[in-house]
């Protein structure tokens, strides 16, 4: 009675799996799962994410340098989230992550307000203005 080794392994697995397979027949039907809202994407999402990252960067740098209106940038981000994401949690998470990424990027580099931090804030503010102009001129208000 010499069985081929593969056949012997297969039969052993079949014998061991028999009780498990029988148990599967008595399990209750799966519960209905909550349907996730569809992922919404708009043509300017990448630019909007970059804009959110710039807002996070400027917010950190202006707060660090104690510039007037430091919280205006965080408030602007909240307004952006309120107007752009509505009932779209995935987009809100993506934009929030971009804002936080921008904030953390400079928090890991600058702990004091230096001339380089002031220049970076100015450059990022200019980039943000350019992005805002591009997004609104190309895709509406």
């Amino acid at each position: 009675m010499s069985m081929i080794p593969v056949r012997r392994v297969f039969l052993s697995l079949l014998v061991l799996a028999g009780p498990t397979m029988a148990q599967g027949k008595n399990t209750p039907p799966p519960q209905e799962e909550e349907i996730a809202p569809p992922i919404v994407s708009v043509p300017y999402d990448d630019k909007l994410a970059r804009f959110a990252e710039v807002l996070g960067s400027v917010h950190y740098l202006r707060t660090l340098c104690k510039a007037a209106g430091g919280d205006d940038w965080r408030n602007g981000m909240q307004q952006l989230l309120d107007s752009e994401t509505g009932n779209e949690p995935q987009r809100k998470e993506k934009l929030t992550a971009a804002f936080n990424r921008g904030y953390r990027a400079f928090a890991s580099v600058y702990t004091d307000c230096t001339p380089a931090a002031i220049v970076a804030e100015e450059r990022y503010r200019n980039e943000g203005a350019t992005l805002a102009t591009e997004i609104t001129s190309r895709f509406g208000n």
Side-chain angles (χ1 to χ4, degrees), residues 3 14 16 34 41 61 77 102:
M3 294 179 112
L14 190 58
L16 291 173
E34 223 177 274
S41 180
L61 292 168
M77 181 62 194

Side-chain angles (χ1 to χ4, degrees), residues 29-62:
Q31 300 277 335
E32 283 188 32
E33 293 183 24
E34 223 177 274
I35 298 173
I39 297 175
V40 178
S41 180
V42 295
Y44 54 91
D45 264 352
D46 290 339
K47 285 190 180 287
L48 203 58
R50 178 61 186 156
F51 184 66
E53 193 171 342
V54 167
L55 287 175
S57 298
V58 172
H59 172 62
Y60 176 78
L61 292 168
R62 289 186 71 82

Side-chain angles (χ1 to χ4, degrees), residues 7-18:
R7 189 182 226 177
R8 188 176 305 150
V9 170
F10 177 73
L11 288 174
S12 298
L13 289 174
L14 190 58
V15 168
L16 291 173

Side-chain angles (χ1 to χ4, degrees), residues 6 18 25-26 28 34 36-37 42 53 68 83 87 89 91 105-106 113 139-140:
V6 173
K25 293 179 183 176
N26 294 333
E34 223 177 274
V42 295
E53 193 171 342
S83 66
N87 294 327
R91 286 185 73 219
F106 281 98
C113 184
F139 300 102

Side-chain angles (χ1 to χ4, degrees), residues 90-111:
Q90 293 88 358
R91 286 185 73 219
K92 184 174 185 172
E93 288 174 18
K94 180 181 176 182
L95 293 177
T96 301
F99 180 88
N100 291 336
R101 187 172 46 251
Y103 186 94
R104 288 186 195 117
F106 281 98
S108 68
V109 175
Y110 294 104
T111 56

